[in-house]
Every structure is written in structure tokens, then in C-alpha cells.
Amino acid sequence: MCGIFGCIMKQGNAAPIIRASLKRLEYRGYDSVGVATIQDGKIYVKKDQGKIDDVHSILNLDDLPGNLGIGHTRWATHGAPLKINAHPHSDCTGQIVVVHNGIIENFSELKLELENNGHKFVSKTDTEVIAHLIEENLRKNPELELANAVLEAVKRLEGSYAVAVISTREPDKIICARNESPLVLGISENAVYCASDIPAFLPFTNKVVLINDGEFIILSSKGYEIRRINDFSIVAREPEIVDWTPEMAVKQGYPHFMIKEIHEQPATLRNTLRMQEHYLDLISTFLDRAREVFLVACGTSYHACLAASYMFSKLAFLPTYPVYASEFMEQHGKSVNIDSTILAVSQSGETADTLAAVTCAQQRAATILGLTNVIGSTLTRVSRVYVGQQSGPEIGVAATKTFTSQLSVLAQLALRLSKKRGKISQDEMDDIAERLEKLPDIVETIIQTQKEKAKQLAKKYKDAKTFFFLGRGVSTATAYEGRLKLMEIAYIPSIAFPAGESKHGPISLIEAGLPVVFICAKDGAHKTLIGNIMEMKARGASIIAIVEEGDEEIKALSDDYVEVPKGIPEVLSPIPFAIPLQLLAYYMALEKGLNPDTPRNLAKSVTVK
Ligand code: F6R
């Protein structure tokens, strides 16, 4: 998730407007910033790694000349957060510059092709191919208009993009295109704007044109023209008036970041399906060769590791040890050695406990692998190989979209490993891979159809003093995550156990009306889980079941249920089953008058041990 911006001013310089607007998009990323403007047939660029204010204090981003320009604030996905990878990126001649938000899946092939045609690349980004593709189109056909050269370039892109392009060839235009990454236009008396999000230009105008996937924009001082990428046909669309306050705009109209981020999950899960194959392959090779594998993390990331231990076992027959990072040194510090591999999972890549475990393992010559959302974080620097989960910044303190993305990446690793080891049939692997592709849509359906249900449940159970969360198999991890969400933002003491363990102690807490949430994936443990539900029901518990559609047997036993679509493979079930639990926690916090974005005593990144 990055922020792009562009504007054409009728009066005045563009650069100060671009810088101020990027600042309002900084929530989308802050690894680096860059601005490009045009004046008198020349392109001016300033960019560097770091946050906007820091870069501005050194470079003075405002003093670029010209009434037209583009800018970018970056959340690194391809290439480290260094100056060389900061946008805008340009072609070989420096006459075409591009800013981009998204992931170009086929960039390696395109890059190779362009390099073979003599193009020189300077960055490690996927974005740079766009500038060179446009240049190539113009080289081949110098008569081409800029818009057509950009159009032909975007037609070759696979993946997600919102791009804005400027060029000295037609210095009065900004050309944009969108596929699966957000893009909006702002229209005012004095200017036209394009941006990743409305807050960027909201102080200047509330007249907004929303751009859809597959659309292409030509911005000029005369206004905007929308066309379809596939046939270049014209789209007529009038601006709408948006009556958001700036604060609402940053949250895209949602009252809290947490619910906004819950809603982002279909998109963030789609991004996880665009991982760089090379790194997934490398990591799975290391896992395959390891004598022992520890999955090390804290909090929600630990729950992703716990779920992953079931995935690795069931798909690749690889035993792994999920370990709380804070316990790693005590538990395994003496035995970890050169044959051990640590897969450290940390959204922030800065969690002190996780880094301490990594340091301990590294000192004993173990191999460190990383999965993180923050490229350039300490974890990426200390890992032999790492992979970025590409979820974009998460602002709500409670992890939501980053959890489901971690699960998706870990499932992909397990599938790769499975392929290497040949442990399950090709048909089974293909089926799981296919269903993984469908999960973004499934998650979208769950959010749309079950939100109201979660709201009602929160109303009904808001006075409960304690909650239980139970599941078997991989659903144990989902149960732990449901408990953590509810405890941390709604402050309801909650208990989670593998359902089979509850009769070894926790069941003594059950009394009439105590809500017990069962995670009821349709897996090998389903029958036994029904027995566990009966045990709780017999003692008067209120059963809240998260079930697959059509699971009539469990529905009949439940006081309340939330449904997720049918046919989800067991190992993938934590992704869809986590969604109702996130929603329940969110609405429960609201019922209790709490702000779910800022739970007491917690920080987004815990940098103390
Ligand atoms: C819970 C939550 C925390 C983090 C934990 C690890 O919603 O966000 O439990 O999961 O502090 O953080 P990372 O993943 O940044 O290492």
C-alpha cells in the first residue's frame, strides 16, 4: 500500500500542494517520498528514503518549479526502502516519470525483455518497468501520443496498479490508470487532482470522481477524461460531493481504523497472492533442509505460527515447533544450533521479544527466515531470507488484516513445501491452491453478510463477564486469536483452549449462560467437536458457533451461530473463521463504549522485552 498523488494547477506551483497532500496519505506508507514536476520542457525530481517531514527538512520538496506534478509516499514491497527505490521512477531518457501503487506480478519477465532491448534499470522496484515500457512504445512509434503509449504499457501489466505518469513530450498532462489499487480524482476551480485516496485533496475540494478498475484517465488543465483500458471507449462520469471531515476521510468514512482494516482484507489477501515466487521458493527450500524448524512470534503473529504448524504438518508432513518468542531462549536457547531453522513472524519486524529470540538463535548459528509486513525493519535485516506480507500499514492496534495475510503467506509456503516433498496428491494441492485464490471473495462475502450478526451478538452478550473460545486442530489457533481480540479491545476476560483440553480443568468455570464460542470448521475433528459442544451445553453454557453454511447439526445445538461459506479446506479455515471473531470483538468494544483503535496499555509495536 503506497500513496500516489498528482495535480495540475491553474495558478501557482504544484510542489507545495503535492507535499502537503502526500503528508495526508502518509498513513498508506512512509518508507520514502518523492515528487516530480515539469516546467519549460524539463522534469525536476526530488526523492529520498524516510518520512515526508524528514526528507522535506533536508531537500525542501516545495521548491520544485512548475504547475504540474506527481508524488509518492512508499510502503516497500519490491526493493528495500532506499533512495534508489523511491518513486517517481523514470525511463532511460529521464523524460517519462511514473508513480505507482500496487504490485506488478510479471515485472521480472517485462524487465528481462526490456533489458534485452537495451533499457537500463536503476532500481529494484517493479514500478520501473512501467516507465521503460512507455519509453519502448514511444521508441517504436515516435508519433504515438503519450496517452496511447501509456495505454499500451498498462495493457501489458499483470497485477495491481494505480499509476500516474508525466512526460516532457506532453508536459500539460497527467496520465493515470487503475487496476485493483485505489484511484480517485478531485476537481476544483483552480486545479485537477488524482490520488490514492480522498483525504489527499480534501482541504482543496470535496468534488470527487471515483475511478473503477480497468479505467484510464487523461488529466489536463481543461479537466479529466475517463476511458476504458480494454477498448479506449469513453466513460461519462460526473463528480460527486463528499461531505466527509478530514478525520473521516482518512478512515474512508469508517468510524475506526480497525473496521476499515477488517474491510480491507479482501484486498490485502489478494495482495498476498502476488508474492515474489523466488523468495517463497527460497524459504521453502530452507525449511525443507532444516533438521528442526521453530516458528517464533508474539501475540497474533504467534497464533499465525500455531496455525502454520498444522499447515506444515498436514500439507508437507514437516513437524515444526511454534514458540512464543518471549519463551524461546528459556525453552530452546541451549539446544538450538547450526541445523536449526527459525521462521520468525512479526508484522512490525521490530518486536523486541521476537528479535531477542532471533539474536539468540543467530548466535548459535541457526538459519533465520523472516515473514514481516515492514520491509526495512530489523527482522528483514537480520534474516537470511525474508518475505514481505504486503498488507500495507496497519494503524488499529489490534492486528486484523495482517493476521489473515500472514496465514495466507504461510499456507503458500506450506503448499510449496508440500510440492517439493511430494507428500500429498497433486489434485489435493491444486484444490487447496484454487481455494486459496477464492478466499479474498469468500472473506468479502463474510464481511458483507455476517457483520449485522456480529453486531447483534455483541448486543446480546455485552454484559458477559467471561467468554470461552474453543476449537480443535487448526481451529485452536483461531480460537486463541478470537480470545485475544476480544480481551485486548473489549477488555472481557476470555479463555481459549483446544476443545479437547477443556474437560481437563477449564470446564469447571462453566455456569448457566456463560458464552462459549466454538470454531466449527468442517474437518476431521468435526464429530469430536460436537461431543465437546454437548459437554458445554449440558452445563448450561450459551453456545455461539462459527459454522460453515449448511452445518445443520451444529446449528441445531447452538444458541447463536455465524456462518461462513462452504467448502473451505481445513488448513485454510483460520482465514475465513477469524473474520466473525474480529467483527465480534470490534462491536463488543463499541457496545462497551471503548475506542477499539487505541486499547489501554497496548502499543502497536512492542519494543521492550
Ligand atoms: C494483537 C497484536 C499483538 C501483536 C504482537 C506481535 O492484536 O497486534 O499481539 O501481534 O505484539 O507484534 P508483531 O507481529 O509486530 O511482532
Side-chain angles (χ1 to χ4, degrees), residues 5 120 127 185 203 252 257 259 315 336-337 480 493 526 592:
F5 182 80
K120 296 272 176 287
T127 303
L185 307 182
Q252 283 166 356
F257 284 109
I259 190 73
L315 298 181
V336 65
N337 61 50
Y480 281 138
H526 188 259
K592 293 182 154 291

Side-chain angles (χ1 to χ4, degrees), residues 106-180:
N106 58 338
F107 93 98
S108 308
E109 297 100 277
L110 293 171
K111 187 170 176 178
L112 193 64
E113 175 190 316
L114 289 158
E115 280 176 336
N116 288 340
N117 285 347
H119 290 261
K120 296 272 176 287
F121 282 75
V122 293
S123 78
K124 293 267 183 285
T125 65
D126 50 345
T127 303
E128 199 183 338
V129 296
I130 305 173
H132 292 278
L133 272 176
I134 301 168
E135 179 191 14
E136 182 67 16
N137 294 338
L138 289 166
R139 259 195 214 173
K140 283 191 189 140
N141 184 356
E143 303 306 312
L144 217 53
E145 284 186 9
L146 179 66
N148 290 319
V150 177
L151 180 74
E152 292 313 313
V154 295
K155 278 185 177 167
R156 299 210 51 204
L157 304 179
E158 287 167 21
S160 59
Y161 53 81
V163 286
V165 181
I166 58 172
S167 170
T168 50
R169 289 180 65 109
E170 289 177 47
D172 55 342
K173 293 195 179 87
I174 301 178
I175 313 292
C176 309
R178 165 186 170 147
N179 186 50
E180 286 191 33

Side-chain angles (χ1 to χ4, degrees), residues 298-301 346-349 351 354 397-399 406 484-485 488 606:
C298 301
T300 290
S301 298
S346 171
Q347 185 281 128
S348 60
T351 300
T354 308
V397 165
Q406 285 169 345
L484 179 62
K485 289 289 91 91
E488 68 179 334
V606 185

